[in-house]
């Protein structure tokens, strides 16, 4: 499996420590500030964690905020016990609101990342299409696409084989799925299979060759990245067809 991103690991630590630090900072004011206002401040800490991390970090921050609110800011102090019914209600609301807001913040961050990623993918497809319009650019487009595939799929390498199909390596299909033999391979769950993976390049319905991907076994690529890879391979096939390359068979 791919390593857990550093940013998310930091967010998990912040989910534990952030609400604790906020609760400790509020301790000198706990007799002057209402518990409701202190709970709202802790919610801000939860949102901050969720915004820089993921939904798990946000949920951890919500649980941490509710626990430290109970321990430091409600009577009896320094005990995981709440005497007042209003304080109990505030603690429960803090937990619920913290969980809900953290999920919304994490979702907003995820949508932003997807938007940025989409823009980068579209730029790659656009650049390849522009190059493919140049007469006789088939070979250059193939080399360009091989580099693009290496980048977006995080491969160790990628090469292009012209002509006949040899052997039966795992294959990346047009729908982004991967087939090993006659069986579907769950890339999202298991990562790439061992060995090279082929992506066939067709132009005007004719087979010209295939890109041989060299991924690290067990390392996953997103479905979105795999679909972009297939699109780029198709553009290479179209460029070869336009350039007058002779297809196999």
């Amino acid at each position: 499996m791919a390593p857990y991103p550093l940013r998310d690991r930091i967010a998990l630590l912040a989910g534990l420590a952030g609400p604790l630090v906020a609760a400790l900072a509020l301790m000198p004011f706990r007799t002057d500030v209402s518990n409701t206002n202190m709970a709202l401040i802790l919610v801000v800490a939860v949102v901050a964690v969720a915004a820089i991390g993921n939904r798990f970090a946000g949920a951890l921050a919500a649980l941490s905020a509710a626990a430290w609110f109970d321990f430091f800011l409600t009577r009896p102090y320094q005990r995981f016990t709440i005497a007042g019914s209003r304080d109990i209600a505030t603690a429960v609301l803090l937990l619920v609101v913290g969980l809900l807001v953290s999920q919304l913040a994490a979702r907003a961050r995820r949508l932003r990342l997807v938007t940025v990623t989409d823009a980068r993918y579209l730029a790659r497809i656009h650049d390849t299409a522009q190059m493919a319009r140049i007469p006789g650019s088939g070979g250059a487009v193939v080399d360009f696409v091989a580099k693009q595939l290496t980048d977006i799929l995080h491969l160790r390498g990628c090469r292009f084989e012209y002509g006949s199909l040899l052997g039966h390596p795992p294959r990346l299909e047009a729908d982004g799925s991967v087939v090993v033999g006659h069986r579907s391979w769950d890339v999202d769950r298991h990562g790439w299979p061992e060995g090279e993976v082929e992506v066939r390049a067709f132009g005007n319905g004719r087979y010209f060759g295939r890109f041989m991907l060299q991924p690290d076994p067990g390392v996953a690529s997103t479905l979105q990245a795999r679909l972009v890879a297939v699109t780029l391979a198709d553009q290479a096939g179209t460029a070869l067809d336009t350039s007058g390359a002779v297809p196999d068979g």
Side-chain angles (χ1 to χ4, degrees), residues 126-193:
H126 176 267
D127 291 344
T128 306
Q130 290 290 98
M131 181 179 291
R133 292 177 182 175
I134 302 174
S137 63
V141 172
V142 166
D143 293 340
F144 183 72
V145 168
K147 293 178 181 178
Q148 297 295 309
L149 296 180
T150 301
D151 188 16
I152 65 174
L153 298 177
H154 307 293
L155 306 175
R156 289 182 287 108
C158 178
R159 59 189 176 84
F160 189 78
E161 289 185 350
Y162 289 89
S164 300
L165 293 168
L166 299 175
H168 301 281
R171 183 172 65 256
L172 177 59
E173 299 282 19
D175 62 357
S177 64
V178 173
V179 175
V180 178
H182 298 289
R183 302 181 60 181
S184 178
W185 178 272
D186 191 344
V187 180
D188 295 321
R189 183 174 181 180
H190 302 297
W192 290 100

Side-chain angles (χ1 to χ4, degrees), residues 17-248:
L20 171 59
V21 172
L24 290 173
L26 289 171
M27 280 184 62
F29 310 102
R30 62 190 178 188
T31 58
D32 302 317
V33 180
S34 70
N35 283 358
T36 300
N37 289 337
M38 289 190 291
L40 289 174
I41 294 173
L42 291 177
V43 168
V44 173
V46 173
V47 173
V49 170
I52 66 169
N54 54 32
R55 64 183 69 249
F56 300 108
L60 182 61
L63 292 170
S64 178
W68 298 126
F69 173 78
D70 175 6
F71 191 80
F72 289 114
L73 305 178
T74 64
R75 299 177 186 275
Y77 299 127
Q78 279 75 62
R79 291 178 59 187
F80 287 110
T81 304
I82 302 178
S85 58
R86 289 187 177 180
D87 289 341
I88 294 174
T90 301
V92 171
L93 286 174
L94 168 60
L95 176 60
V96 173
V97 172
L99 288 171
L100 291 175
V101 172
S102 71
Q103 300 308 298
L104 291 174
R107 179 174 175 79
R109 178 201 167 201
R110 178 178 177 276
L111 289 174
R112 178 180 176 277
L113 289 176
V114 168
T115 300
V116 171
T117 302
D118 284 347
R120 291 174 180 171
Y121 285 156
L122 287 173
R124 294 176 189 273
I125 294 171
H126 176 267
D127 291 344
T128 306
Q130 290 290 98
M131 181 179 291
R133 292 177 182 175
I134 302 174
S137 63
V141 172
V142 166
D143 293 340
F144 183 72
V145 168
K147 293 178 181 178
Q148 297 295 309
L149 296 180
T150 301
D151 188 16
I152 65 174
L153 298 177
H154 307 293
L155 306 175
R156 289 182 287 108
C158 178
R159 59 189 176 84
F160 189 78
E161 289 185 350
Y162 289 89
S164 300
L165 293 168
L166 299 175
H168 301 281
R171 183 172 65 256
L172 177 59
E173 299 282 19
D175 62 357
S177 64
V178 173
V179 175
V180 178
H182 298 289
R183 302 181 60 181
S184 178
W185 178 272
D186 191 344
V187 180
D188 295 321
R189 183 174 181 180
H190 302 297
W192 290 100
E194 293 186 4
E196 293 184 314
V197 178
E198 68 174 12
V199 185
R200 298 178 181 179
F202 293 88
N204 196 27
R206 298 183 296 175
Y207 172 77
F208 285 90
R210 59 185 178 178
F211 291 93
M212 301 302 295
L213 313 179
Q214 299 166 12
D216 288 317
V219 176
S221 294
T222 65
L223 174 60
Q224 188 179 43
R226 299 196 302 272
L227 290 172
V228 172
V230 172
T231 301
L232 293 173
D234 286 342
Q235 288 182 316
T238 300
L240 289 171
D241 179 58
T242 303
S243 298
V246 179
D248 180 66

